[in-house]
Amino acid sequence: MNLIDVTIVNVALPSLQSGLAATSSEIEWVVAAYIMAFAIGLLPCGRLGDMIGRRRMFLLGVAVFTMASTLCGVAPGINTLIAARILQGIGGAMMAPQTLAIAQVIFPPKERGTAFAMFGITAGLAAVSGPLIGGLLINADIMGLGWRPIFLVNIPVGLFAILAGLKFIPVMQGNRDVGIDLGGIALATAALVLVVFPLIEGRELGWPAWIFGLLVAAVPVAWMFVRWQHHQAAAGAPQLLPVDLMRNGNFMGGALVASLFFSAVPGFFMVFALFLQTGYGLTPLQSGLTTVPFSAGMFFASMLSGKIAARWQRPRIFIGSIMLCVAMTWLQWLIRATAAEVDTLAFLLPLLIAGLGLGTAVSPLFQLVLSNVPQRDAGSAAGGMQSFQQVGGALGVAVMGQLFFSQLLQRGGPQAAGPDYAASLDTAVYYPIFAFALTALAVLLLKSQSAVAGPVQAGR
């Protein structure tokens, strides 16, 4: 339910925009608000699971996600939808950290490999099925509800998950002495909003001076977050991002690379759906089918990556990043050549290569960064990596939205035709090309850093 929601919404964005008379920045917030809430919530919600019990936290998360999905489905306007998406992201953050933690406890060692493999398969199937389910539900126009069933479908699934969880997940006691870093949460949220809000709203507001002031203000707020974490560490109090991790150059360098790597995908598929549907009149189902090769490639590469396990980590990240860079360059060339009509079949091979590249790089990227972390910090590091991944996604949505909609506004805005959408997407695709090329280069630099971290690995 959580994983499908990430991909299913992209297909619905053009229908959402027309149905709710939303502006381009408001459509960006539909995507970015969920990602931001999810990113900020991952670490504290993981801690809350330790405090009140993982089973209870998981079931509460499913309940919040299901309630928020209902609010999304009945939202009378775009502002209500964005607020509900924030709540949905919080529900997702409540669920996500508990799943693997519960599996780690309830399955004996000999069964954990199978359990984690099933988790990976589920993630792959969600990526493949999300665009198709979204397209089918919108095309069916159930009871004249248009895009709303993509959220309302979560209600029966959520209710079933709660009942099944109550029956099958054993009760797990929490430790209320763990504590939550509320100051860290507030500062991290403020820093992220000070970056994402200006990037999304600046274009609509005409880039007044105070928008640039918000961007500048993000720097001292981020510095205050770091100082607060040191203060918490000195006082022996809970830390949102442990200081030991911030002092680990390999982890922080790898987390920043991961943020860059994951920043390119959500933003691309947001503007690609608008290009296909609003620019060239494809139905949501046709748009979803167009992107299936990417999801299928990611699914198969992820399955193969699971079999390779921890071998050849840096070469796999490098190869995957280069494949993505080549695929995005190929897509840009095809988009640039698109005139009055769009040939969706031409996108099949580059999207497949892009999916194969992503599936090739993701698993070893996580493994490489986390392998340099001492065992005592493994849980915090895993949660931190997921948070950095989501923060990158939110920033990527803001940057690619800015590139795409700025060009579209110059070319006619609401009156823009298909070729105008193609030219705007052509400009936006420069970002993922740059991001994946820089990731490939950064992996080569991480190699020398990892050599310095050799004793840490050997100690493990």
Side-chain angles (χ1 to χ4, degrees):
M1 186 166 63
N2 182 30
L3 295 167
I4 284 178
D5 198 77
V6 176
T7 55
I8 201 173
V9 170
N10 282 332
V11 177
L13 289 177
S15 303
L16 278 166
Q17 186 169 18
S18 59
L20 296 177
T23 65
S24 57
S25 65
E26 288 169 337
I27 283 299
E28 287 181 75
W29 279 118
V30 172
V31 179
Y34 177 87
I35 297 175
M36 283 176 57
F38 189 71
I40 296 297
L42 276 170
L43 283 172
C45 287
R47 282 280 190 173
L48 272 173
D50 294 336
M51 287 178 65
I52 68 172
R54 295 189 181 107
R55 175 182 185 261
R56 183 181 300 171
M57 190 66 180
F58 174 76
L59 294 175
L60 282 172
V62 176
V64 170
F65 191 94
T66 304
M67 181 179 68
S69 297
T70 306
L71 293 174
C72 288
V74 300
I78 189 66
N79 291 330
T80 306
L81 177 61
I82 292 170
R85 286 285 284 168
I86 293 172
L87 185 61
Q88 204 179 28
I90 294 170
M94 293 169 70
M95 288 191 287
Q98 319 310 326
T99 51
L100 291 179
I102 290 172
Q104 186 79 12
V105 172
I106 66 175
F107 290 103
K110 64 180 180 181
E111 295 178 4
R112 281 179 200 153
T114 303
F116 292 154
M118 289 297 294
F119 181 86
I121 291 171
T122 303
L125 289 174
V128 174
S129 59
L132 290 178
I133 294 172
L136 287 168
L137 287 173
I138 297 169
N139 268 32
D141 195 19
I142 301 167
M143 299 175 62
L145 292 173
W147 52 268
R148 297 180 186 274
I150 70 164
F151 296 113
L152 297 176
V153 72
N154 289 330
I155 298 173
V157 180
L159 292 174
F160 170 79
I162 291 171
L163 293 173
L166 288 170
K167 180 174 177 60
F168 294 111
I169 302 175
V171 175
M172 300 175 184
Q173 298 300 323
N175 177 10
R176 296 192 177 272
D177 295 330
V178 170
I180 297 283
D181 179 11
L182 295 176
I185 296 170
L187 288 169
T189 303
L192 184 56
V193 171
L194 285 170
V195 174
V196 175
F197 180 86
L199 289 176
I200 291 180
E201 292 292 337
R203 180 187 64 259
E204 293 284 339
L205 298 172
W207 294 105
W210 63 267
I211 281 285
F212 291 101
L214 292 180
L215 282 169
V216 172
V219 177
V221 173
W223 178 83
M224 288 169 62
F225 170 78
V226 173
R227 297 311 309 160
W228 176 258
Q229 296 305 288
H230 280 84
H231 166 76
Q232 292 290 93
Q239 305 153 61
L240 183 63
L241 185 63
V243 169
D244 285 347
L245 287 179
M246 288 194 284
R247 289 172 176 159
N248 187 326
N250 294 306
F251 172 79
M252 290 303 298
L256 292 174
V257 170
S259 297
L260 177 68
F261 181 82
F262 287 109
S263 70
V265 177
F268 171 78
F269 282 105
M270 178 188 73
V271 295
F272 191 60
L274 293 168
F275 159 76
L276 292 174
Q277 294 181 51
T278 309
Y280 285 92
L282 269 67
T283 67
L285 180 58
Q286 289 171 325
S287 175
L289 287 170
T290 301
T291 60
V292 163
F294 175 86
S295 301
M298 186 180 72
F299 174 67
F300 289 117
S302 297
M303 294 285 288
L304 179 61
S305 191
K307 295 182 183 298
I308 297 174
R311 289 173 288 178
W312 312 310
Q313 290 173 357
R314 290 185 198 86
R316 285 156 60 197
I317 302 168
F318 181 82
I319 291 169
S321 299
I322 293 298
M323 289 173 69
L324 279 157
C325 190
V326 169
M328 288 294 164
T329 304
W330 189 351
L331 283 168
Q332 186 185 47
W333 179 77
L334 292 171
I335 291 161
R336 191 173 294 167
T338 302
E341 295 183 0
V342 63
D343 180 11
T344 56
L345 289 177
F347 297 136
L348 190 153
L349 192 53
L351 282 172
L352 178 64
I353 293 172
L356 290 169
L358 188 70
T360 299
V362 167
S363 177
L365 180 57
F366 270 81
Q367 293 174 38
L368 180 65
V369 177
L370 297 178
S371 66
N372 291 312
V373 173
Q375 190 64 38
R376 68 178 185 277
D377 295 327
S380 298
M385 269 292 288
Q386 291 183 68
S387 294
F388 276 105
Q389 173 188 349
Q390 298 301 325
V391 166
L395 292 174
V397 166
V399 171
M400 289 199 70
Q402 171 63 32
L403 292 171
F404 179 80
F405 289 116
S406 293
Q407 281 292 311
L408 196 62
L409 188 63
Q410 293 177 20
R411 295 174 180 274
Q415 287 74 45
D420 299 313
Y421 277 82
S424 301
L425 183 58
D426 175 15
T427 301
V429 172
Y430 277 112
Y431 178 78
I433 292 172
F434 166 80
F436 293 128
L438 192 56
T439 299
L441 177 63
V443 169
L444 300 179
L445 298 178
L446 280 178
K447 182 175 182 178
S448 60
Q449 288 185 337
S450 185
V452 176
V456 175
Q457 285 184 287
R460 297 179 65 230

